[in-house]
Amino acid sequence: VQRLKEDHARARRLGDALHGMPWCAGVLPVATNIVLYRLRNAADARQHVEALRNKGVLCFATGPDQVRMVTHLHITDADVDRVIEALERIAT
């Protein structure tokens, strides 16, 4: 419990990075370790999730154009850097 603030900070970093992605239509406010974002132009979230999975990033679609990511005990700052890099490289 004492280190949850680290998970929350990592989630905020992901949320902040998502704001600058051209394919991202919006990010819900990040208050915990959960990041929810929407894809532009009604993009297919399942294809987006698969593209990320191919880059070693696990997340899941929560709707046709919405994706959920979660940080937790086993996610490091270096992992967040790799996720942001993967997000920058995909074209959804």
Side-chain angles (χ1 to χ4, degrees), residues 8-79:
H8 297 175
R10 289 180 179 116
R12 281 191 300 277
R13 274 187 59 214
L14 283 172
D16 290 344
L18 283 161
H19 282 291
M21 306 289 168
W23 44 259
C24 183
V27 181
L28 290 178
V30 179
T32 64
N33 65 325
I34 298 170
V35 180
L36 289 166
Y37 62 96
R38 295 189 96 78
L39 304 171
R40 237 180 247 297
N41 302 324
D44 185 351
R46 291 173 299 175
Q47 290 176 350
H48 179 82
V49 167
E50 185 62 27
L52 287 170
R53 181 174 289 126
N54 290 337
K55 295 190 178 303
V57 177
L58 300 178
C59 57
F60 61 94
T62 57
D65 67 344
Q66 187 169 315
V67 177
R68 180 178 189 232
M69 292 184 166
V70 179
T71 58
H72 55 77
L73 173 65
H74 297 84
I75 303 297
T76 66
D77 287 331
D79 293 328

